[in-house]
Amino acid sequence: MSAEITRINPDQLHETPGYHHITVVEAGRTAYLAGQCPLDRHGSLVGAGSLDRQIDQVAANALTALAAVGAQPQHVVRSVIYVCSDDTAVLGAAWRRLTSSVIGTAFTTASTLLGVAQLGFSGQLVEVDLTAVLLG
C-alpha cells in the first residue's frame, strides 16, 4: 500500500516560515518516533551548553531512526520541536538550524515549535518528536 502526502496552506491563514498548516495522508502506515534527544549511541549528552551542536546530534539521530523504518525526512507528516528557552530569538535560531539540517525537509510539514522550561536529561536543550508515513 502506498500513501499520498498532501501539504496545504490555505490562503485564509497566515504565511509560514516553511511549514504547512495542514498535512493530509491518504493511506499508509505511520511510524511514531520517540523524542529524539542530543545523545550519542552510548547515551552521553552531546554538545553541553551548545544548542547548535545538540540540534546537529538530534538531526543525525532522527535521520538514523527514520532510516531504520525505511523513511526519509520528506515522509515526516508531523513534527514537534521542544527548545529550553523562552527567548523568541533562540527559538527562531533553532528553527533555522533544524530546517537547514540533514532532516530539514521534515519541517515543511505540520510543525509546532515550543519553548519549554526543562527536558528529560540534565543539560538537554532540544528534543524533536516526529511522525512519518511509511510509503510502499
Side-chain angles (χ1 to χ4, degrees), residues 17 19 28-29 31 37 41 45 47 54 59 65 71 79-80 82 88-89 94 98 132 135:
Y19 67 89
R29 298 177 10 213
C37 301
R41 66 184 314 237
L45 181 71
Q54 289 194 16
S79 70
V80 181
Y82 304 91
T88 56
L98 280 164
L135 304 176

Side-chain angles (χ1 to χ4, degrees), residues 27-95:
R29 298 177 10 213
T30 53
Y32 302 90
L33 279 61
Q36 298 300 295
C37 301
L39 304 177
D40 65 18
R41 66 184 314 237
H42 305 290
S44 299
L45 181 71
V46 172
S50 172
L51 182 59
D52 286 348
R53 286 192 55 216
Q54 289 194 16
I55 287 171
D56 294 346
Q57 184 65 47
V58 164
N61 291 351
L63 190 63
T64 298
L66 288 167
V69 293
Q72 297 177 8
Q74 66 267 25
H75 300 136
V76 170
V77 295
R78 179 80 176 117
S79 70
V80 181
I81 304 156
Y82 304 91
V83 180
C84 279
S85 180
D86 63 356
D87 183 334
T88 56
V90 171
L91 297 174
W95 174 259

Side-chain angles (χ1 to χ4, degrees), residues 3 32 69 86 92 104 118 121-122 129-130 134:
Y32 302 90
V69 293
D86 63 356
Q118 177 117 15
F121 293 97
S122 179
D129 181 3
L130 302 174
L134 305 178

